[in-house]
Short mmCIF file of all heavy atoms in Angstrom, two decimals:
data_model
loop_
_atom_site.label_atom_id
_atom_site.label_comp_id
_atom_site.label_asym_id
_atom_site.label_seq_id
_atom_site.Cartn_x
_atom_site.Cartn_y
_atom_site.Cartn_z
N ALA W 46 -32.95 19.21 -78.73
CA ALA W 46 -34.17 18.66 -79.35
C ALA W 46 -34.26 17.16 -79.11
O ALA W 46 -35.31 16.63 -78.71
CB ALA W 46 -34.15 18.95 -80.84
N LEU W 47 -33.12 16.48 -79.30
CA LEU W 47 -33.09 15.03 -79.12
C LEU W 47 -33.43 14.66 -77.69
O LEU W 47 -34.24 13.76 -77.43
CB LEU W 47 -31.68 14.52 -79.49
CG LEU W 47 -31.57 13.02 -79.68
CD1 LEU W 47 -32.18 12.62 -81.02
CD2 LEU W 47 -30.13 12.58 -79.59
N MET W 48 -32.80 15.40 -76.76
CA MET W 48 -33.03 15.12 -75.34
C MET W 48 -34.48 15.33 -74.96
O MET W 48 -35.06 14.54 -74.21
CB MET W 48 -32.11 15.98 -74.47
CG MET W 48 -30.71 15.37 -74.37
SD MET W 48 -29.64 16.28 -73.29
CE MET W 48 -30.30 15.88 -71.72
N SER W 49 -35.03 16.42 -75.49
CA SER W 49 -36.43 16.70 -75.17
C SER W 49 -37.33 15.60 -75.75
O SER W 49 -38.28 15.16 -75.11
CB SER W 49 -36.85 18.07 -75.72
OG SER W 49 -36.81 18.04 -77.13
N LEU W 50 -36.94 15.13 -76.95
CA LEU W 50 -37.71 14.05 -77.60
C LEU W 50 -37.69 12.79 -76.73
O LEU W 50 -38.71 12.16 -76.47
CB LEU W 50 -37.09 13.76 -78.98
CG LEU W 50 -38.06 13.23 -80.02
CD1 LEU W 50 -38.94 14.36 -80.51
CD2 LEU W 50 -37.30 12.60 -81.16
N VAL W 51 -36.47 12.44 -76.29
CA VAL W 51 -36.31 11.25 -75.43
C VAL W 51 -37.12 11.42 -74.16
O VAL W 51 -37.84 10.54 -73.72
CB VAL W 51 -34.80 11.03 -75.12
CG1 VAL W 51 -34.63 10.00 -74.01
CG2 VAL W 51 -34.07 10.59 -76.38
N GLY W 52 -37.01 12.63 -73.62
CA GLY W 52 -37.75 12.93 -72.40
C GLY W 52 -39.24 12.76 -72.61
O GLY W 52 -39.93 12.12 -71.80
N VAL W 53 -39.73 13.27 -73.70
CA VAL W 53 -41.16 13.17 -74.02
C VAL W 53 -41.57 11.71 -74.17
O VAL W 53 -42.57 11.26 -73.60
CB VAL W 53 -41.49 13.98 -75.29
CG1 VAL W 53 -42.85 13.60 -75.85
CG2 VAL W 53 -41.45 15.47 -74.99
N SER W 54 -40.75 10.98 -74.91
CA SER W 54 -41.10 9.58 -75.15
C SER W 54 -41.09 8.81 -73.84
O SER W 54 -41.95 7.96 -73.60
CB SER W 54 -40.14 8.95 -76.16
OG SER W 54 -38.90 8.71 -75.55
N LEU W 55 -40.11 9.10 -72.98
CA LEU W 55 -40.04 8.41 -71.69
C LEU W 55 -41.26 8.72 -70.86
O LEU W 55 -41.91 7.82 -70.32
CB LEU W 55 -38.77 8.85 -70.93
CG LEU W 55 -37.51 8.03 -71.19
CD1 LEU W 55 -36.34 8.61 -70.42
CD2 LEU W 55 -37.74 6.57 -70.78
N SER W 56 -41.60 10.02 -70.78
CA SER W 56 -42.73 10.41 -69.95
C SER W 56 -44.02 9.85 -70.53
O SER W 56 -44.90 9.40 -69.79
CB SER W 56 -42.81 11.93 -69.83
OG SER W 56 -43.09 12.47 -71.10
N SER W 57 -44.10 9.79 -71.85
CA SER W 57 -45.32 9.27 -72.46
C SER W 57 -45.45 7.78 -72.17
O SER W 57 -46.54 7.30 -71.88
CB SER W 57 -45.33 9.53 -73.97
OG SER W 57 -44.42 8.65 -74.60
N SER W 58 -44.30 7.05 -72.18
CA SER W 58 -44.37 5.60 -71.93
C SER W 58 -44.83 5.35 -70.50
O SER W 58 -45.64 4.47 -70.26
CB SER W 58 -43.02 4.94 -72.19
OG SER W 58 -42.14 5.18 -71.11
N THR W 59 -44.34 6.11 -69.54
CA THR W 59 -44.78 5.89 -68.16
C THR W 59 -46.24 6.29 -68.00
O THR W 59 -46.97 5.65 -67.25
CB THR W 59 -43.91 6.68 -67.16
OG1 THR W 59 -43.77 8.00 -67.67
CG2 THR W 59 -42.57 6.04 -66.95
N ALA W 60 -46.66 7.25 -68.73
CA ALA W 60 -48.05 7.70 -68.62
C ALA W 60 -49.00 6.65 -69.16
O ALA W 60 -50.02 6.33 -68.55
CB ALA W 60 -48.24 9.00 -69.36
N VAL W 61 -48.63 6.00 -70.29
CA VAL W 61 -49.50 5.01 -70.92
C VAL W 61 -49.47 3.71 -70.14
O VAL W 61 -50.47 3.03 -70.00
CB VAL W 61 -49.05 4.78 -72.39
CG1 VAL W 61 -49.78 3.58 -73.00
CG2 VAL W 61 -49.35 6.03 -73.20
N ALA W 62 -48.27 3.38 -69.55
CA ALA W 62 -48.08 2.09 -68.90
C ALA W 62 -48.71 2.00 -67.53
O ALA W 62 -48.27 1.25 -66.70
CB ALA W 62 -46.59 1.80 -68.80
N ALA W 63 -49.73 2.74 -67.27
CA ALA W 63 -50.32 2.77 -65.94
C ALA W 63 -50.96 1.44 -65.55
O ALA W 63 -50.95 1.08 -64.39
CB ALA W 63 -51.35 3.88 -65.87
N ALA W 64 -51.51 0.71 -66.53
CA ALA W 64 -52.25 -0.51 -66.18
C ALA W 64 -51.41 -1.76 -66.47
O ALA W 64 -51.20 -2.10 -67.63
CB ALA W 64 -53.55 -0.56 -66.96
N PRO W 65 -50.96 -2.46 -65.42
CA PRO W 65 -50.24 -3.71 -65.67
C PRO W 65 -51.21 -4.76 -66.19
O PRO W 65 -52.40 -4.72 -65.90
CB PRO W 65 -49.72 -4.11 -64.29
CG PRO W 65 -49.93 -2.93 -63.41
CD PRO W 65 -51.05 -2.15 -63.99
N SER W 66 -50.71 -5.70 -66.96
CA SER W 66 -51.59 -6.78 -67.44
C SER W 66 -50.88 -8.11 -67.30
O SER W 66 -49.66 -8.18 -67.21
CB SER W 66 -52.01 -6.54 -68.88
OG SER W 66 -50.90 -6.68 -69.71
N LEU W 67 -51.68 -9.15 -67.27
CA LEU W 67 -51.18 -10.50 -67.02
C LEU W 67 -51.98 -11.46 -67.87
O LEU W 67 -53.20 -11.35 -67.96
CB LEU W 67 -51.37 -10.81 -65.52
CG LEU W 67 -51.17 -12.23 -65.04
CD1 LEU W 67 -49.70 -12.61 -65.12
CD2 LEU W 67 -51.65 -12.37 -63.62
N ALA W 68 -51.31 -12.40 -68.50
CA ALA W 68 -52.01 -13.40 -69.30
C ALA W 68 -51.31 -14.73 -69.15
O ALA W 68 -50.08 -14.80 -69.12
CB ALA W 68 -52.05 -12.98 -70.76
N ILE W 69 -52.09 -15.81 -69.03
CA ILE W 69 -51.52 -17.16 -68.99
C ILE W 69 -51.47 -17.67 -70.42
O ILE W 69 -52.49 -17.75 -71.11
CB ILE W 69 -52.35 -18.08 -68.07
CG1 ILE W 69 -52.28 -17.57 -66.63
CG2 ILE W 69 -51.83 -19.51 -68.15
CD1 ILE W 69 -53.14 -18.32 -65.65
N VAL W 70 -50.27 -17.98 -70.87
CA VAL W 70 -50.06 -18.41 -72.26
C VAL W 70 -50.35 -19.91 -72.38
O VAL W 70 -50.98 -20.37 -73.32
CB VAL W 70 -48.61 -18.11 -72.69
CG1 VAL W 70 -48.36 -18.58 -74.10
CG2 VAL W 70 -48.31 -16.63 -72.53
N SER W 71 -49.88 -20.66 -71.40
CA SER W 71 -50.03 -22.11 -71.43
C SER W 71 -50.20 -22.60 -70.00
O SER W 71 -49.56 -22.06 -69.10
CB SER W 71 -48.79 -22.72 -72.08
OG SER W 71 -48.77 -24.11 -71.88
N PRO W 72 -51.03 -23.55 -69.70
CA PRO W 72 -51.91 -24.31 -70.60
C PRO W 72 -53.12 -23.48 -71.04
O PRO W 72 -53.43 -22.47 -70.41
CB PRO W 72 -52.34 -25.48 -69.72
CG PRO W 72 -52.32 -24.94 -68.34
CD PRO W 72 -51.16 -23.98 -68.30
N ALA W 73 -53.76 -23.96 -72.09
CA ALA W 73 -54.98 -23.30 -72.56
C ALA W 73 -56.11 -23.64 -71.59
O ALA W 73 -56.06 -24.65 -70.89
CB ALA W 73 -55.32 -23.80 -73.95
N ASP W 74 -57.11 -22.80 -71.57
CA ASP W 74 -58.25 -23.04 -70.68
C ASP W 74 -58.93 -24.34 -71.09
O ASP W 74 -59.19 -24.59 -72.27
CB ASP W 74 -59.23 -21.87 -70.78
CG ASP W 74 -60.22 -21.88 -69.63
OD1 ASP W 74 -59.80 -22.16 -68.49
OD2 ASP W 74 -61.41 -21.61 -69.87
N GLY W 75 -59.20 -25.19 -70.10
CA GLY W 75 -59.85 -26.47 -70.36
C GLY W 75 -58.91 -27.55 -70.86
O GLY W 75 -59.37 -28.62 -71.27
N ALA W 76 -57.60 -27.30 -70.81
CA ALA W 76 -56.63 -28.29 -71.33
C ALA W 76 -56.64 -29.55 -70.48
O ALA W 76 -56.90 -29.52 -69.28
CB ALA W 76 -55.24 -27.68 -71.34
N LEU W 77 -56.36 -30.67 -71.13
CA LEU W 77 -56.25 -31.95 -70.44
C LEU W 77 -54.77 -32.21 -70.16
O LEU W 77 -53.96 -32.26 -71.09
CB LEU W 77 -56.83 -33.06 -71.32
CG LEU W 77 -56.84 -34.47 -70.72
CD1 LEU W 77 -57.78 -34.55 -69.53
CD2 LEU W 77 -57.23 -35.50 -71.77
N ILE W 78 -54.44 -32.35 -68.89
CA ILE W 78 -53.05 -32.62 -68.50
C ILE W 78 -52.96 -34.13 -68.26
O ILE W 78 -53.42 -34.62 -67.23
CB ILE W 78 -52.66 -31.82 -67.24
CG1 ILE W 78 -53.07 -30.36 -67.36
CG2 ILE W 78 -51.18 -31.97 -66.94
CD1 ILE W 78 -52.45 -29.61 -68.52
N ALA W 79 -52.43 -34.83 -69.23
CA ALA W 79 -52.52 -36.29 -69.23
C ALA W 79 -51.30 -36.96 -68.59
O ALA W 79 -50.30 -36.32 -68.29
CB ALA W 79 -52.69 -36.77 -70.66
N ASN W 80 -51.43 -38.26 -68.40
CA ASN W 80 -50.35 -39.15 -67.95
C ASN W 80 -49.83 -38.82 -66.54
O ASN W 80 -48.73 -39.24 -66.19
CB ASN W 80 -49.19 -39.14 -68.94
CG ASN W 80 -49.64 -39.55 -70.32
OD1 ASN W 80 -50.31 -40.56 -70.47
ND2 ASN W 80 -49.31 -38.75 -71.32
N GLY W 81 -50.61 -38.08 -65.77
CA GLY W 81 -50.18 -37.77 -64.41
C GLY W 81 -48.96 -36.87 -64.33
O GLY W 81 -48.29 -36.83 -63.30
N THR W 82 -48.66 -36.18 -65.41
CA THR W 82 -47.48 -35.31 -65.40
C THR W 82 -47.81 -33.95 -64.80
O THR W 82 -48.96 -33.52 -64.83
CB THR W 82 -46.96 -35.09 -66.84
OG1 THR W 82 -48.05 -34.70 -67.64
CG2 THR W 82 -46.34 -36.34 -67.41
N PRO W 83 -46.81 -33.26 -64.26
CA PRO W 83 -47.07 -31.91 -63.77
C PRO W 83 -47.38 -30.97 -64.94
O PRO W 83 -47.00 -31.26 -66.08
CB PRO W 83 -45.75 -31.50 -63.11
CG PRO W 83 -44.93 -32.72 -63.00
CD PRO W 83 -45.41 -33.65 -64.06
N VAL W 84 -48.08 -29.91 -64.64
CA VAL W 84 -48.41 -28.95 -65.70
C VAL W 84 -47.39 -27.81 -65.66
O VAL W 84 -46.98 -27.36 -64.59
CB VAL W 84 -49.86 -28.42 -65.53
CG1 VAL W 84 -50.07 -27.72 -64.21
CG2 VAL W 84 -50.22 -27.50 -66.68
N LEU W 85 -46.96 -27.42 -66.84
CA LEU W 85 -46.02 -26.30 -66.93
C LEU W 85 -46.83 -25.05 -67.25
O LEU W 85 -47.53 -25.00 -68.27
CB LEU W 85 -44.99 -26.56 -68.03
CG LEU W 85 -43.82 -25.58 -68.06
CD1 LEU W 85 -42.90 -25.80 -66.88
CD2 LEU W 85 -43.04 -25.70 -69.35
N VAL W 86 -46.76 -24.07 -66.37
CA VAL W 86 -47.55 -22.85 -66.54
C VAL W 86 -46.63 -21.75 -67.06
O VAL W 86 -45.62 -21.42 -66.45
CB VAL W 86 -48.21 -22.42 -65.22
CG1 VAL W 86 -49.09 -21.20 -65.43
CG2 VAL W 86 -49.00 -23.57 -64.62
N ASP W 87 -47.01 -21.21 -68.20
CA ASP W 87 -46.24 -20.12 -68.81
C ASP W 87 -47.13 -18.89 -68.87
O ASP W 87 -48.31 -19.00 -69.22
CB ASP W 87 -45.81 -20.54 -70.23
CG ASP W 87 -44.75 -19.61 -70.78
OD1 ASP W 87 -44.23 -18.78 -70.00
OD2 ASP W 87 -44.44 -19.72 -71.98
N PHE W 88 -46.59 -17.74 -68.50
CA PHE W 88 -47.43 -16.55 -68.46
C PHE W 88 -46.64 -15.33 -68.94
O PHE W 88 -45.41 -15.36 -68.99
CB PHE W 88 -47.99 -16.32 -67.05
CG PHE W 88 -46.93 -16.07 -66.01
CD1 PHE W 88 -46.69 -14.79 -65.55
CD2 PHE W 88 -46.16 -17.11 -65.51
CE1 PHE W 88 -45.71 -14.55 -64.59
CE2 PHE W 88 -45.17 -16.87 -64.56
CZ PHE W 88 -44.96 -15.59 -64.11
N ARG W 89 -47.37 -14.28 -69.30
CA ARG W 89 -46.74 -13.04 -69.76
C ARG W 89 -47.26 -11.88 -68.91
O ARG W 89 -48.45 -11.85 -68.57
CB ARG W 89 -47.10 -12.77 -71.22
CG ARG W 89 -46.57 -13.78 -72.20
CD ARG W 89 -45.11 -13.53 -72.56
NE ARG W 89 -44.63 -14.54 -73.48
CZ ARG W 89 -44.18 -15.75 -73.11
NH1 ARG W 89 -44.14 -16.08 -71.83
NH2 ARG W 89 -43.78 -16.62 -74.00
N VAL W 90 -46.37 -10.97 -68.63
CA VAL W 90 -46.73 -9.80 -67.84
C VAL W 90 -46.27 -8.57 -68.60
O VAL W 90 -45.18 -8.56 -69.18
CB VAL W 90 -46.05 -9.86 -66.45
CG1 VAL W 90 -46.20 -8.55 -65.72
CG2 VAL W 90 -46.60 -11.00 -65.63
N SER W 91 -47.10 -7.56 -68.66
CA SER W 91 -46.63 -6.31 -69.26
C SER W 91 -46.92 -5.15 -68.31
O SER W 91 -47.84 -5.22 -67.48
CB SER W 91 -47.29 -6.08 -70.62
OG SER W 91 -48.68 -6.13 -70.48
N ASN W 92 -46.09 -4.12 -68.44
CA ASN W 92 -46.19 -2.91 -67.60
C ASN W 92 -46.07 -3.22 -66.12
O ASN W 92 -46.73 -2.61 -65.29
CB ASN W 92 -47.50 -2.17 -67.86
CG ASN W 92 -47.68 -1.86 -69.33
OD1 ASN W 92 -46.70 -1.56 -70.01
ND2 ASN W 92 -48.90 -1.96 -69.80
#
Side-chain angles (χ1 to χ4, degrees):
Chain W
L47 194 76
M48 279 184 72
S49 65
L50 209 74
V51 168
V53 164
S54 74
L55 270 178
S56 65
S57 73
S58 77
T59 46
V61 170
S66 69
L67 169 70
I69 296 175
V70 179
S71 168
D74 196 41
L77 182 67
I78 312 300
N80 303 310
T82 50
V84 60
L85 190 71
V86 183
D87 194 9
F88 63 103
R89 295 279 179 276
V90 170
S91 55
N92 305 324

